[in-house]
Amino acid sequence: HEFYFGARQDFAEVGAIRGEAMAILRLAYLDAIASKWNLASHGYQEARHRVAETGDRLNFMTATMGKCWTSLQIGEWSEDLIGKIEATSRVAKDNDAIAYGISWGLAFAYAGRDALDNNEDVIIALRAARLAHTIFALFNTPEQQEIILRAFGGQDIMETLYGDLIPGLADIGDWEQIFAVANNLNNSNLETLSLNEIAAYLPQGVLLLAYLILEQHLVAWGITSEGLVGQYNLDQFDTQPFNSSLFIAHALEWIDEVSGGIVDSTSSAALVQSLLEPFDAQIAAANHLLIVPFTEEFKLFPFNALPWQYQPLGKQKTISYLPSPSLLNKIPSLDPTTKGALVVGNPDFVYMENVQPRNREFINSLPVKRIEAELIADLYQVKSLIGIEATKEAVMAEIARTPKIIHLATGGYFQTNNSILGVPLAEGKSLSSEDFISLKLKADLVILSAGYREQSHLRGHSLTELAQSIIQAGARAVCVNLWSADDLATAIIMQLLHKGLLAGESPAQALWEAQQQLCQITVQQALDFCQVAQAKIPWQKEADRADRAIFTKYMGELMAFGGDYPRAAEAYAVAINILNSVGRSSEAETLQSEQRRYKLLAVHSNSFNPEQLIFNSPEYWVPFVIIGDWH
């Protein structure tokens, strides 16, 4: 310390400004590591002024960062510090001082961890975390993020730091800051909105429920137009200490049960107790629920299937989702110039692009998607893009005409490891997230009606990422199905949804009414739908006749569901004969065992019940959800 103090005096006497500035900088550093924070803060401030005279940008950044660091320690906090850190880090980035900039982010992150580990003020830890987050957000290329991860042994330091902060913030009741932390954990690149700003965007009667799953806690908020109306920090689940892995595993197991047609109130009881019961009064008072799940594994959790007051929640309230609350101020206003609809159905020659021809696996067509698209196109009096017509060029050209509604009825998504690569189109092409963003959409609603074609269920975060890119591209809302619902039920509910939209209903209201109507569809009504659909398929081509056979099979299934096994067996026999005649013998063979079963049941067949409800189980209507604007 004496050496640098003497050096400072010597440099000052001879007018060596740069030398004097460097000596002051070293003195400030020595005071800081000795925890003489007031002296260090004053020293760094003086160093900033002296270094600025020399034009030395790197050491000016060092003095600025040091001033912020010491200000943090002595409580000289102001929001201006965030701006200074961001500006200084940007200079480092622009001058390729990547390691230098990241090192300061690490310093602030460690300062936050140290404050928590030493049981110091949680507010100091929060401020350090905000400064670190500000720096790391600028160094966001994959290579730079890899450097940050390696510095912490592969651990996401910010996720750990924020996760450790939340219980402390909950203890002091600072739910505004917890919400800001949750936004940061959500890794959103969008501007963060405060609780009051979010409340200002919510119409009366809307309840926003936000959930954040941490390793040992479940944190939730309830927000209305009046502000924060409820919050809780749960550390128990199903009578045991809360564990995020066990909670998510329980939730995913319940989703698999619902999608498989198993309705078991026992398995849902603990979920209801954790997710809904703390907000019972607020839910009862609301007309619409807006769900914001901050945690990736919990995106698009089917809240509508949870039992609430003895019925599925989705039968009592309209529900929609937002990937991030910050999207509330990003959803565009209604555009009066949009009109009509773009309807795409069952693209042909679908295979993964950039795969060698000998390794390509063509995905079989789904005839129901073709009929779904044609019936919806009839409602809007437009021509649909079907089969080989559904090329990427044709679809993008139609989107450029700014349709009000976009409906993509396909056999699923190109995906890898449960991540979506794109919506498949004809000739090995697809619409990726990047494609959607480049299109500058103006649609009120984009509907992704996917059949999944025996692929594994996509977890919600993959669909959310695609939906968020569509919303950021300019669409107001997106409708998706969380799993591969019954093809016939999907075609019917989609037609009901569009009828509601054409009647002027909002996306959420139109979907809710379509779901209620689907639950009341009888066997006879479903048979009538199949007959209308089959009449739209010509006889001339073998592929068309095979599609007609599929609808004949559907009618057989419906007759069996209504108890008419003799006619079910006859319908299957017709379908088998058609499939054999067009060279689809393998498909015909798969129907034969079911036909034999129907023949056996026909011996003891009861009378046909055409009024039997067929799609009232949650597996048929629950998977369809609205993401984005609901009103």
Side-chain angles (χ1 to χ4, degrees):
H1 196 283
E2 290 180 3
F3 171 79
Y4 283 111
F5 186 78
R8 174 187 176 176
Q9 290 180 318
D10 292 341
F11 283 127
E13 288 176 3
V14 298
I17 298 175
R18 179 180 175 81
E20 181 187 2
M22 293 303 297
I24 296 171
L25 199 56
R26 294 301 294 174
L27 285 168
Y29 172 73
L30 291 173
D31 286 334
I33 62 175
S35 298
K36 298 176 181 178
W37 299 114
N38 283 294
L39 283 174
S41 179
H42 178 77
Y44 277 122
Q45 181 65 21
E46 187 179 5
R48 285 184 80 240
H49 292 307
R50 300 302 282 166
V51 171
E53 297 177 37
T54 69
D56 183 345
R57 287 184 294 182
L58 184 62
N59 281 306
F60 181 79
M61 287 189 290
T62 300
T64 301
M65 292 292 192
K67 173 60 179 174
C68 293
W69 182 31
T70 51
S71 294
L72 185 69
Q73 302 295 333
I74 62 177
E76 285 185 350
W77 175 264
S78 71
E79 291 298 318
D80 291 344
L81 283 179
I82 296 290
K84 288 180 181 178
I85 287 289
E86 184 173 5
T88 304
S89 301
R90 197 174 296 280
V91 171
K93 182 179 180 180
D94 292 344
N95 287 273
D96 293 324
I98 307 300
Y100 176 84
I102 289 176
S103 68
W104 273 104
L106 300 177
F108 286 117
Y110 272 121
R113 288 295 300 273
D114 289 344
L116 289 176
D117 291 343
N118 297 328
N119 295 317
E120 295 178 16
D121 191 344
V122 69
I123 298 301
I124 291 179
L126 174 64
R127 290 169 176 172
R130 288 184 63 190
L131 294 174
H133 181 89
T134 300
I135 295 171
F136 290 151
L138 287 173
F139 298 96
N140 55 8
T141 68
E143 295 79 11
Q144 292 162 2
Q145 291 295 310
E146 182 62 27
I147 293 172
I148 296 170
L149 281 174
R150 282 205 305 269
F152 290 95
Q155 184 183 30
D156 188 330
I157 179 62
M158 294 309 301
E159 183 174 331
T160 304
L161 178 55
Y162 279 138
D164 291 343
L165 270 169
I166 285 176
L169 291 169
D171 288 342
I172 63 175
D174 195 340
W175 289 91
E176 176 83 34
Q177 289 294 350
I178 297 174
F179 196 78
V181 167
N183 266 302
N184 290 330
L185 274 173
N186 199 34
N187 292 320
S188 172
N189 293 322
L190 302 170
E191 174 191 357
T192 300
L193 299 179
S194 69
L195 288 175
N196 288 335
E197 288 171 327
I198 289 169
Y201 280 104
L202 298 177
Q204 192 170 7
V206 173
L207 171 64
L208 185 151
L209 295 175
Y211 297 89
L212 174 65
I213 301 172
L214 301 170
E215 186 175 346
Q216 296 178 338
H217 298 266
L218 170 65
V219 184
W221 300 257
I223 308 168
T224 69
S225 58
E226 297 177 359
L228 185 66
V229 294
Q231 71 282 324
Y232 66 91
N233 178 25
L234 187 75
D235 58 7
Q236 295 276 320
F237 175 69
D238 201 14
T239 72
Q240 300 294 322
F242 187 88
N243 177 284
S244 60
S245 297
L246 294 179
F247 177 82
I248 291 171
H250 185 99
L252 294 178
E253 182 179 348
W254 176 75
I255 292 172
D256 288 339
E257 289 180 1
V258 174
S259 64
I262 301 172
V263 180
D264 182 3
S265 59
T266 304
S267 61
S268 63
L271 293 169
V272 171
Q273 187 178 32
S274 301
L275 300 172
L276 299 183
E277 285 186 6
F279 297 115
D280 263 351
Q282 292 87 348
I283 292 172
N287 300 321
H288 179 81
L289 304 181
L290 180 57
I291 308 295
V292 180
F294 283 117
T295 306
E296 183 176 273
E297 296 87 349
F298 208 54
K299 299 288 187 183
L300 299 187
F301 175 84
F303 280 81
N304 49 358
L306 286 173
W308 184 73
Q309 296 187 356
Y310 310 107
Q311 284 193 73
L313 182 64
K315 284 196 171 185
Q316 304 174 72
K317 305 287 181 180
T318 59
I319 299 174
S320 63
Y321 294 77
L322 271 184
S324 166
S326 299
L327 279 174
L328 282 170
N329 70 344
K330 299 297 181 183
I331 295 173
S333 302
L334 285 168
D335 190 333
T337 65
T338 60
K339 59 182 179 180
L342 164 62
V343 185
V344 176
N346 198 30
D348 216 345
F349 295 102
V350 174
Y351 56 86
M352 187 77 78
E353 194 175 10
N354 299 326
V355 175
Q356 292 295 326
R358 65 177 179 275
N359 296 326
R360 285 176 182 166
E361 293 185 12
F362 288 87
I363 303 175
N364 293 330
S365 66
L366 290 178
V368 182
K369 291 300 176 187
R370 165 186 175 176
I371 297 303
E372 176 186 322
E374 289 185 353
L375 291 174
I376 290 168
D378 288 347
L379 292 175
Y380 290 94
Q381 299 181 340
V382 298
K383 184 182 183 301
S384 55
L385 296 176
I386 302 293
I388 195 63
E389 297 175 340
T391 64
K392 185 171 184 176
E393 293 74 15
V395 170
M396 294 183 76
E398 287 299 316
I399 291 176
R401 298 177 188 271
T402 64
K404 190 178 185 68
I405 302 292
I406 298 174
H407 186 106
L408 304 176
T410 68
Y413 304 100
F414 286 144
Q415 63 184 88
T416 178
N417 298 326
N418 273 350
S419 294
I420 294 175
L421 301 178
V423 179
L425 297 174
E427 300 177 347
K429 303 293 184 179
S430 66
L431 281 176
S432 65
S433 296
E434 292 75 17
D435 290 327
F436 280 112
I437 291 174
S438 71
L439 287 169
K440 295 181 172 57
L441 302 175
K442 293 185 178 181
D444 287 353
L445 180 63
V446 176
I447 299 171
L448 305 178
S449 176
Y452 290 83
R453 288 193 174 101
E454 300 181 357
Q455 296 172 350
S456 60
H457 292 175
L458 282 167
R459 297 309 180 195
H461 64 272
S462 296
L463 285 171
T464 301
E465 289 171 0
L466 180 60
Q468 182 162 330
S469 70
I470 293 173
I471 292 171
Q472 288 178 306
R476 290 172 55 80
V478 182
C479 178
V480 300
N481 52 298
L482 304 182
W483 57 76
S484 184
D486 179 88
D487 288 337
L488 195 56
T490 300
I492 293 173
I493 198 173
M494 286 295 121
Q495 191 177 41
L496 294 170
L497 167 63
H498 283 281
K499 287 180 178 179
L501 294 171
L502 284 168
E505 294 169 356
S506 68
Q509 185 66 28
L511 177 61
W512 183 83
E513 291 189 5
Q515 289 170 322
Q516 312 313 306
Q517 293 172 49
L518 181 69
C519 291
Q520 299 304 312
I521 292 292
T522 65
V523 168
Q524 187 59 57
Q525 288 172 321
L527 282 169
D528 294 342
F529 180 88
C530 285
Q531 289 174 339
V532 171
Q534 194 178 52
K536 294 186 72 66
I537 305 174
W539 277 97
Q540 288 83 351
K541 298 178 181 178
E542 288 188 349
D544 291 334
R545 293 198 291 276
D547 287 352
R548 291 180 68 91
I550 298 302
F551 274 95
T552 303
K553 182 204 76 166
Y554 287 147
M555 287 189 276
E557 291 175 349
L558 292 168
M559 291 169 186
F561 196 89
D564 192 342
Y565 294 108
R567 283 206 297 163
E570 290 173 9
Y572 262 67
V574 172
I576 290 168
N577 288 335
I578 295 174
L579 290 171
N580 279 324
S581 71
V582 297
R584 305 269 281 267
S585 56
S586 61
E587 292 177 57
E589 287 178 11
T590 61
L591 302 185
Q592 286 174 348
S593 61
E594 196 69 9
Q595 186 208 16
R596 287 193 291 269
R597 188 172 75 89
Y598 289 156
K599 282 184 175 180
L600 291 173
L601 291 170
V603 177
H604 307 288
S605 178
N606 296 320
S607 59
F608 178 53
N609 180 10
E611 299 305 311
Q612 175 74 38
L613 299 181
I614 188 169
F615 296 130
N616 57 336
S617 175
E619 66 185 287
Y620 297 111
W621 60 269
V622 160
F624 303 97
V625 298
I626 295 291
I627 305 172
D629 190 37
W630 65 95
H631 57 323

